[in-house]
Amino acid sequence: MHEIITLQLGQRANYLATHFWNTQESYFTYSTNQESLVDHDIHFRPGIGADGEETYTPRTLIYDLKGGFGSLRKFNALYDVQGERESIQALWDGRTQTQRQPSINQNEYQKSLDEGTSIPQLTAETVRYWSDFNRVYYNPKSIVQLNEYELNSQIMPFESWHAGSELFSTLDRDSDILDRDLRPFAEECDQLGGIQVFSGTDDAWGGFTASYVDKLRDEYGKASIWNWALEDTQSMSSQERLRKKTNVARSINEIAPQVSAYVRLACPPSNAAKMMRIVPNSLWYSSAVLAIAVESMTLPSRVKAIGGRQGALSDFEAVLNVQGNQSLFELGANVRDSQTGRATPSLTNGQANGHDQSTPTNLDDHDIDYTPSNIGEATASVDRVFARVEVTRDESHTGRMESEVRDMTDEWERRRRRLNAEPIVEKYDSKLEFPVIDSFPQDLITTAHAVKNFRVQATLKSTCKTRDRLRLIQRSIRGAIGFEEREALLNGLAEIGEQYQDGDDIDDSSGTGNDDDE
């Protein structure tokens, strides 16, 4: 077994992760006549509840600021709240005084789950926190509240990249975070298959993540560590945009060299509005768009058999890391209504995005490109794909694994493919479609019928376009950072970008041009 531990760092990341866990929960089967296609032991851990009954909770650590957990309690119905209080009281025999923060009331959706009554449909207005649409129970050890900062504070906002790094250092100095939080989960694993990190990277959570990942790499030197790096792409002032882009640059420079995969995620993707409903300032909607691709892309790592084997995270890395030091990969997806097999309709012109076919002819042209774009990107060179991993989810398929991968340790094969500009491709095919469950926005797309499932074709690729995107970031932030940091940061991004050069394409990669993408 190759268990995967998840880290959720920040409010935006917790929205995406909640969609992820709700989807995993939907794969459970409760009839002896049904067998789940998913190996739940990869992401879930067995335990014992307060009543002695067996429990099954996510292998995850959830970090958020004070007030960020909404109505979610650390101790839920599976665990003994009173017993915890008594254990705390036993440590001190003097008088105690309890001070309670004002509680946040459950929304009607959560009340209906607790009471087992009819479930109301969620809306952008009724989802105030990620816990408002959560469907799973977590072990109390999974809940980690950071009381040093408060969610949406105007007095002391959690925005500075360096503030996040400093917070981690302070917490780690007071109590070793890996020993306190992560190690108990890691020691339960028979064979750790990887660590996936959902995190914001354009605010203080980027600095927090960088420090966390640095310590993870020291402790788990050969482990697969994947960072799903969320970036806010909603409308904002030019000053705010520049600050966030500078934080993104710091995150890429510090995190990408330390992880096995660093996947930038636009929240929301700029071209998603052509086919899906994106409600402004609703993380519930924008994270739902991300969840379709992220959950689909990682599906092979937990499906019991695709062509006779699972697709481990390390298998993906072996395909995508063609140049030997590539970790920045780009995510794209084609999404189809399962019932009609057509592309989801555009909300801008009522057309089906120009497609009627169930499978696009060019897999490098996606309905949704999840990588954040830059102004001026149209001037970038023609894309050259080094390698890609494709995951197709279609109930009409039998479920198989195809591979065009040859022996990647053969230097002659590497040279042949590079000279011929041939991408290395691995394909996974599953009949398990993406389920549209009641915690998911039901009106994310507009159809004449209720959509129960999506057919999804998700692609993760390493491409020379990454180099061009990094150059545009370099040029846009030059004037926003001090001289002492500027040289190290720009040189670091340039070195990362060099890993994505196309063959003999050698030119200025220092980002010293005068172009500005702002």
Side-chain angles (χ1 to χ4, degrees):
M1 189 192 308
H2 297 274
E3 298 94 341
I4 296 174
I5 297 174
T6 300
L7 299 181
Q8 306 171 207
L9 307 179
Q11 185 78 182
R12 209 178 314 149
N14 285 329
Y15 268 85
L16 172 56
T18 300
H19 281 301
F20 176 85
W21 291 118
N22 288 347
T23 305
Q24 304 318 301
E25 189 265 349
S26 73
Y27 297 144
F28 280 93
T29 55
Y30 302 96
S31 171
T32 56
N33 299 326
Q34 291 180 303
E35 181 180 359
S36 176
L37 296 176
V38 172
D39 183 354
H40 299 294
D41 290 333
I42 300 296
H43 284 286
F44 285 78
R45 53 180 295 277
I48 302 296
D51 57 359
E53 293 292 324
E54 291 186 358
T55 62
Y56 214 40
T57 54
R59 301 182 191 274
T60 191
L61 286 165
I62 307 172
Y63 293 82
D64 215 327
L65 306 181
K66 183 179 179 180
F69 288 87
S71 62
L72 183 72
R73 296 181 300 163
K74 185 179 182 73
F75 292 89
N76 51 55
L78 297 181
Y79 297 91
D80 185 11
V81 179
Q82 185 62 34
E84 172 69 7
R85 291 175 183 169
E86 292 173 354
S87 66
I88 295 174
Q89 181 66 35
L91 299 175
W92 172 251
D93 57 4
R95 297 181 62 182
T96 62
Q97 182 178 3
T98 302
Q99 294 183 344
R100 295 189 180 278
Q101 184 179 351
S103 60
I104 297 173
N105 295 327
Q106 289 184 321
N107 64 358
E108 294 302 316
Y109 181 83
Q110 289 299 317
K111 289 179 181 178
S112 67
L113 290 178
D114 287 347
E115 298 168 358
T117 58
S118 178
I119 296 177
Q121 183 168 316
L122 289 166
T123 66
E125 291 71 31
T126 59
V127 176
R128 307 155 298 170
Y129 304 89
W130 55 266
S131 58
D132 285 339
F133 65 99
N134 170 61
R135 290 188 55 90
V136 304
Y137 287 117
Y138 299 101
N139 187 287
K141 294 186 297 184
S142 290
I143 308 300
V144 186
Q145 179 171 285
L146 306 181
N147 294 310
E148 290 76 8
Y149 288 85
E150 189 167 357
L151 184 68
N152 299 326
S153 171
Q154 299 298 317
I155 299 175
M156 194 168 67
F158 198 54
E159 294 178 348
S160 167
W161 193 93
H162 296 293
S165 178
E166 291 169 3
L167 176 60
F168 182 91
S169 298
T170 300
L171 296 173
D172 194 51
R173 183 173 57 251
D174 295 341
S175 177
D176 189 300
I177 290 182
L178 259 62
D179 281 344
R180 184 192 69 184
D181 298 343
L182 186 78
R183 201 174 306 282
F185 286 91
E187 290 177 347
E188 294 174 343
C189 300
D190 292 334
Q191 185 176 357
L192 183 63
I195 300 171
Q196 67 171 355
V197 183
F198 296 107
S199 73
T201 53
D202 59 2
D203 55 14
W205 285 108
F208 191 91
T209 303
S211 296
Y212 208 135
V213 165
D214 183 61
K215 190 156 188 180
L216 282 175
R217 183 52 74 196
D218 285 343
E219 184 71 19
Y220 302 97
K222 296 183 179 180
S224 294
I225 303 176
W226 283 46
N227 187 192
W228 300 100
L230 286 82
E231 301 176 23
D232 185 2
T233 56
Q234 297 190 98
S235 178
M236 64 188 74
S237 68
S238 58
Q239 182 179 2
E240 177 74 358
R241 186 181 301 111
L242 182 58
R243 182 186 64 78
K244 285 183 174 291
K245 185 155 291 187
T246 303
N247 287 337
V248 167
R250 294 183 177 116
S251 295
I252 293 174
N253 185 51
E254 295 293 332
I255 301 173
Q258 298 271 35
V259 297
S260 313
Y262 186 102
V263 185
R264 298 175 63 200
L265 299 175
C267 187
S270 59
N271 63 344
K274 297 179 180 179
M275 50 183 300
M276 294 184 176
R277 184 184 184 208
I278 304 297
V279 177
N281 301 316
S282 172
L283 284 174
W284 180 51
Y285 272 89
S286 56
S287 61
V289 179
L290 304 184
I292 296 172
V294 171
E295 201 277 330
S296 296
M297 197 66 237
T298 58
L299 182 67
S301 66
R302 54 188 170 273
V303 169
K304 290 182 177 178
I306 297 183
R309 70 173 178 87
Q310 289 178 319
L313 298 181
S314 57
D315 293 336
F316 288 9
E317 299 156 20
V319 174
L320 294 168
N321 186 10
V322 176
Q323 308 284 52
N325 199 22
Q326 294 172 321
S327 63
L328 273 167
F329 307 130
E330 300 196 357
L331 180 67
N334 299 296
V335 183
R336 300 289 182 266
D337 174 7
S338 180
Q339 184 170 329
T340 65
R342 296 185 177 186
T344 49
S346 168
L347 297 178
T348 57
N349 57 19
Q351 301 299 314
N353 202 31
H355 298 289
D356 282 338
Q357 69 274 23
S358 59
T359 303
T361 56
N362 186 355
L363 286 175
D364 287 329
D365 294 330
H366 302 107
D367 293 338
I368 306 175
D369 180 2
Y370 288 87
T371 305
S373 59
N374 302 287
I375 298 173
E377 200 160 292
T379 61
S381 61
V382 177
D383 191 14
R384 151 88 157 89
V385 177
F386 301 109
R388 66 173 180 251
V389 177
E390 302 166 5
V391 178
T392 301
R393 309 178 68 167
D394 191 331
E395 189 178 20
S396 65
H397 293 191
T398 58
R400 64 187 184 277
M401 190 280 290
E402 301 175 357
S403 179
E404 296 175 18
V405 179
R406 302 190 182 187
D407 183 6
M408 289 307 299
T409 62
D410 186 343
E411 184 61 27
W412 286 106
E413 176 61 17
R414 286 177 178 270
R415 291 182 181 180
R416 187 193 70 79
R417 284 186 171 271
R418 290 183 66 179
L419 288 173
N420 295 332
E422 297 178 24
I424 300 164
V425 181
E426 180 144 314
K427 302 178 182 179
Y428 294 87
D429 194 351
S430 175
K431 62 181 180 181
L432 182 63
E433 298 182 344
F434 183 87
V436 180
I437 54 182
D438 57 40
S439 63
F440 202 79
Q442 300 299 299
D443 58 349
L444 190 64
I445 65 171
T446 302
T447 60
H449 57 274
V451 178
K452 295 182 178 180
N453 297 296
F454 288 142
R455 296 179 187 174
V456 181
Q457 204 166 42
T459 302
L460 197 61
K461 62 184 180 180
S462 56
T463 163
C464 70
K465 187 180 289 186
T466 297
R467 173 203 57 189
D468 300 314
R469 295 189 198 270
L470 290 178
R471 288 177 179 175
L472 287 170
I473 291 176
Q474 289 172 265
R475 292 167 182 168
S476 67
I477 67 171
R478 286 184 57 82
I481 49 181
F483 176 78
E484 292 183 359
E485 182 187 9
R486 183 190 308 161
E487 183 177 1
L489 180 55
L490 296 183
N491 287 342
L493 293 175
E495 289 177 8
I496 294 173
E498 288 174 0
Q499 301 300 320
Y500 301 87
Q501 289 191 156
D502 182 11
D504 296 327
D505 178 18
I506 301 176
D507 56 1
D508 174 36
S509 60
S510 62
T512 58
N514 296 320
D515 296 353
D516 193 314
D517 67 333
E518 296 301 325

